[in-house]
Amino acid sequence: VSSSRPVDEGLALKQNQSKQEVIIQNQAGWNNLADKPGDAAPAAGATNGETAAAGEKEAIPDSLWSDFEAMAQQKSDREKEREAEEEREKAAAVAKEEAAKEEEERKRRAAVEAEAAAKRAEEEAEAEKKRALEEARKKAREELDGMDQTVDIEAQREVMKEFDAQ
C-alpha cells in the first residue's frame, strides 16, 4: 500500500461485518493440535533425545503410523525394483552390444577366410596351368627329340659362314 494514497477503511469494515463468528464443534481436538510434541510427558527411563521421539510417536495414531511406514516401505521397494530394472536394461544393452560385436567379428573372420580361400584357389589354378603348360612343353620336346632331323644343319652353317664373310 502506498503511503501517498489514502486507505479506504469502508471496504475493510464491510468485509469484517459479513464474517460470522466461527463455532468450534470439537474444542478438545483443537486443543490437542495446539500442543507441542516436546510438551508430552517423558516416557519412564527415556533420555532427552528419546523423549521427543517418543512424544512424536505417541501423538501419531498407530494406524496412521503403520500406514506411513507401509507407504515408505512400498516406495523403497518400488525404488529398488526400478534400480534393478535399470540394471537389467543396462546388462541387456551390454549383452546386445557384445553380441553385435561378436557377430561383426564373426562376419569379418568369415570374409577374411573366404578371401583367403579364393586366393588359394586362384593360386592353385595358376599353378595347375603352369604344370599343364610344362607338361605340354615336355611332351613337345620329347616328340621333337624323338623325330629325325629334317633340316640339314651343315648346309645352314656354310651359308651362315658365307654371310658373315661378306
Side-chain angles (χ1 to χ4, degrees), residues 2-153:
S2 174
S3 60
S4 63
R5 193 169 135 189
V7 177
D8 186 12
E9 295 289 331
L11 183 60
L13 290 175
K14 234 183 201 181
Q15 286 178 347
N16 287 338
Q17 287 175 356
S18 67
K19 291 185 179 177
Q20 295 180 359
E21 189 174 325
V22 177
I23 300 170
I24 299 174
Q25 298 290 332
N26 184 2
Q27 186 66 34
W30 286 96
N31 288 337
N32 188 17
L33 287 176
D35 292 343
K36 294 181 183 173
D39 294 342
T47 62
N48 286 343
E50 294 174 357
T51 304
E56 288 179 16
K57 188 165 182 176
E58 288 175 5
I60 301 172
D62 286 338
S63 63
L64 183 61
W65 183 255
S66 64
D67 289 347
F68 172 74
E69 287 179 333
M71 285 189 293
Q73 183 64 37
Q74 288 173 353
K75 181 181 178 187
S76 173
D77 292 345
R78 282 192 304 265
E79 183 68 22
K80 287 178 184 175
E81 288 174 7
R82 185 185 61 78
E83 289 174 0
E85 182 65 27
E86 287 177 358
E87 288 297 321
R88 283 191 296 272
E89 288 174 359
K90 285 180 183 178
V94 167
K96 187 176 181 181
E97 187 176 317
E98 288 295 323
K101 284 181 181 178
E102 288 175 6
E103 180 68 18
E104 189 174 314
E105 180 66 23
R106 186 189 60 77
K107 285 180 181 178
R108 187 187 63 76
R109 271 191 252 116
V112 167
E113 289 174 4
E115 186 177 322
K119 191 173 183 179
R120 280 192 305 271
E122 185 178 322
E123 289 172 354
E124 287 175 5
E126 185 128 348
E128 188 62 34
K129 280 183 183 178
K130 284 182 181 180
R131 274 190 239 115
L133 184 61
E134 288 297 319
E135 287 284 325
R137 286 181 181 170
K138 186 178 178 183
K139 284 182 183 179
R141 265 190 236 115
E142 287 175 359
E143 284 179 19
L144 286 176
D145 288 344
M147 293 174 87
D148 291 334
Q149 209 164 13
T150 57
V151 178
D152 186 16
I153 293 181

Side-chain angles (χ1 to χ4, degrees), residues 153-166:
I153 293 181
E154 291 299 320
Q156 293 287 335
R157 286 186 184 159
E158 288 177 20
V159 172
M160 296 271 290
K161 285 181 186 177
E162 289 175 19
F163 184 72
D164 282 337
Q166 290 179 352

